[in-house]
Amino acid sequence: MSATVTTAPASAARTAALRRRRIRSLVRGAAITFVSLVFALPLVWMIAAAFKTNVQVTDPSVGLWFRPTLDNFRSVIEAGQIVRSMGNSLLVGVISTALSAVIAVPAAWAVGRFGMHRTGSVILVARIVPAISLLVPWYYLFAQMGLVGSYTVLVLSHMFVSVPLILWIMIGFFAGLPVELEEAARTDGLSAFGAFWRISLPLAAPGTATASLLAFVFSWNNFMFALVFADESTQTVPVTLFNFISYASTDWGGLMAATTLITVPVLLAAVIGQKYLVAGLTSGATKG
């Protein structure tokens, strides 16, 4: 009799706990869905507007139900500037990111492994210095060197931000790797750099992919450096988008079509590198 009385309250408690857990799960799912819809709404509007005419874009009564047209994409591609600008952005982004990774990843390993705290502080200062404050001296210097309007000046200016970004992310990542692995490798006869190259660098692949992807996205979206240093032949996509806006009017359809086109490469890079991106962001957040 007592066993039956004891089992009944326990069963009721488990049922209540499961009910509360289910309610919390439903509330959490509803909240995540709501936030996702709020943040996805501008993207949905942009893609929808790319298939509208300029009149439909500015007409509030035209929502998501309309007859789509490809005229905006056709005119943007036939003009050629957006395709050329995407090629310029891809070239500058890949080169600046690759060079930044080559410089920053070994430097991050050295800072993380040898306790160069002052160097880390200097890197942090370089990371937070507003790049716009350097545009005037940079322009004067690069103009004297005859580099304004070239790909070289764009790559160098983007590296000013990408190198500290990658380095700062990778310092925490290398600090979280077990130092015993490198010590064992050095015991087997490897040098310090050999242990980094053969042991730490492969283990740091997720963090390197994460930092490189973030640096590439910065380079792809950067407007300020390209506006000041690029010319018509080296113009990148943010400046080309700006040209759709004039004093008299704005080509909203063409602007949205061009924006949709330049968003695709970044989304593809994020989807392809999603596994490394998640692993890098989480692995670098812990130590030991």
Side-chain angles (χ1 to χ4, degrees):
M1 185 68 177
S2 59
T4 305
V5 174
T6 304
T7 304
S11 178
R14 284 196 298 269
T15 303
L18 289 174
R19 186 182 298 109
R20 288 194 298 268
R21 190 178 306 154
R22 189 177 298 110
I23 293 174
R24 285 197 299 267
S25 178
L26 291 175
V27 172
R28 184 165 53 248
I32 293 174
T33 302
F34 174 75
V35 173
S36 300
L37 290 175
V38 170
F39 280 97
L41 184 60
L43 182 63
V44 173
W45 185 90
M46 177 191 73
I47 296 175
F51 294 92
K52 296 179 180 180
T53 64
N54 284 329
V55 175
Q56 291 174 330
V57 172
T58 56
D59 187 357
S61 63
V62 180
L64 297 177
W65 302 104
F66 59 93
R67 178 174 295 178
T69 177
L70 295 176
D71 291 342
N72 296 322
F73 291 95
R74 189 177 298 110
S75 61
V76 165
I77 293 175
E78 288 177 354
Q81 183 60 42
I82 189 64
V83 178
R84 182 164 57 251
S85 298
M86 290 178 67
N88 293 338
S89 291
L90 184 62
L91 178 65
V92 173
V94 170
I95 294 177
S96 63
T97 301
L99 293 178
S100 298
V102 168
I103 296 172
V105 172
W109 170 79
V111 172
R113 278 289 177 260
F114 300 107
M116 301 179 182
H117 302 296
R118 292 184 179 179
T119 304
S121 300
V122 172
I123 295 167
L124 179 60
V125 171
R127 181 75 184 91
I128 64 178
V129 168
I132 193 172
S133 64
L134 303 174
L135 283 180
V136 173
W138 274 0
Y139 186 85
Y140 178 78
L141 176 64
F142 290 134
Q144 294 298 316
M145 299 172 64
L147 296 177
V148 174
S150 66
Y151 293 110
T152 303
V153 68
L154 292 176
V155 170
L156 291 176
S157 60
H158 287 195
M159 287 178 64
F160 175 79
V161 177
S162 297
V163 169
L165 174 63
I166 297 176
L167 205 155
W168 192 252
I169 293 174
M170 295 305 297
I171 287 176
F173 195 92
F174 282 118
L177 295 179
V179 69
E180 291 80 9
L181 295 176
E182 294 184 19
E183 292 175 350
R186 298 191 66 178
T187 302
D188 291 339
L190 289 178
S191 62
F193 184 79
F196 157 74
W197 183 258
R198 295 190 179 185
I199 304 299
S200 297
L201 187 59
L203 293 175
T208 305
T210 300
S212 300
L213 180 59
L214 294 176
F216 177 78
V217 170
F218 156 78
S219 177
W220 185 268
N221 294 332
N222 185 270
F223 171 75
M224 182 173 55
F225 294 158
L227 180 65
V228 176
F229 297 130
D231 60 15
E232 186 175 355
S233 61
T234 58
Q235 193 176 95
T236 56
V237 286
V239 181
T240 301
L241 293 181
F242 184 72
N243 293 335
F244 284 91
I245 303 174
S246 64
Y247 177 78
S249 63
T250 301
D251 183 9
W252 289 110
L255 178 61
M256 294 300 103
T259 306
T260 302
L261 288 175
I262 70 170
T263 304
V264 171
V266 178
L267 290 179
L268 288 178
V271 170
I272 294 173
Q274 182 180 10
K275 178 178 67 174
Y276 296 101
L277 183 64
V278 174
L281 290 176
T282 54
S283 298
T286 59
K287 181 178 179 181

